[in-house]
Amino acid sequence: AHVFQSAWTGVNERTFIAVKPDGVQRKLVGEIVRRFEKKGFKLVGLKLMQASEELLREHYSELRSKPFFRALIAYMGSGPVVAMVWQGLDVAKTARKMLGKTNPADSLPGTIRGDYCVEVGRNVIHGSDSVESAQREIALWFRQNELHCWEDNCNHWIYS
Ligand code: IDP
């Protein structure tokens, strides 16, 4: 496991992003993918899926004692989500900046949550909060053969 983890650093760092059910319903999938693509990150995994309650409970296991946990699991299971893995230098931290704060009311205009939602219980997108969380979440949501290694022909124009 250690060897695998140490491989996904630097320009190969990965993070898990999911367009939540409200984001899919509100036709934000294209806009969100567009922002990550135009930033210069590489898409290595993407699927539309209905998350099971079991998967969601595992994904949010750190929050199980929170008063909003049941509502959160119901919300996340209320329709399909678009699960994605994005790769690039500092992608986990940078993606969190692109998302904005957990509460859309605290999110600056220009961020995804700052631009497209108003309430914490309908905040349209998930992004891993650290590289370690990303590794856990990617392993939870994706099989190895759903993640694709491909040569980005623009790399030379994104990295010096
Ligand atoms: P994050 O998604 O920004 O990492 P977390 O604290 O991990 O934030 O919370 C996970 C998700 O739980 C949030 O994105 C949001 O959908 C929901 N959530 C967090 N705090 C509240 C709350 O106070 N009320 C309702 N839902 C909440």
Side-chain angles (χ1 to χ4, degrees), residues 27-55:
K27 319 301 185 299
L28 294 172
V29 174
E31 172 63 23
I32 288 167
V33 170
R34 191 187 70 88
R35 289 187 181 211
F36 282 88
E37 278 191 319
K38 291 183 89 102
K39 172 68 178 170
F41 292 134
K42 185 201 279 193
L43 182 64
V44 296
L46 179 145
K47 57 182 174 179
L48 178 73
M49 60 180 284
Q50 172 68 49
S52 68
E53 186 176 330
E54 185 189 14
L55 171 61

Side-chain angles (χ1 to χ4, degrees), residues 3-10 12-14 87 131 135 144 149:
V3 174
F4 171 75
Q5 286 180 13
S6 60
W8 305 119
T9 59
N12 293 322
E13 185 177 308
R14 292 176 167 190
Q87 181 173 312
V131 174
Q135 281 163 353
Q144 286 279 42
C149 292

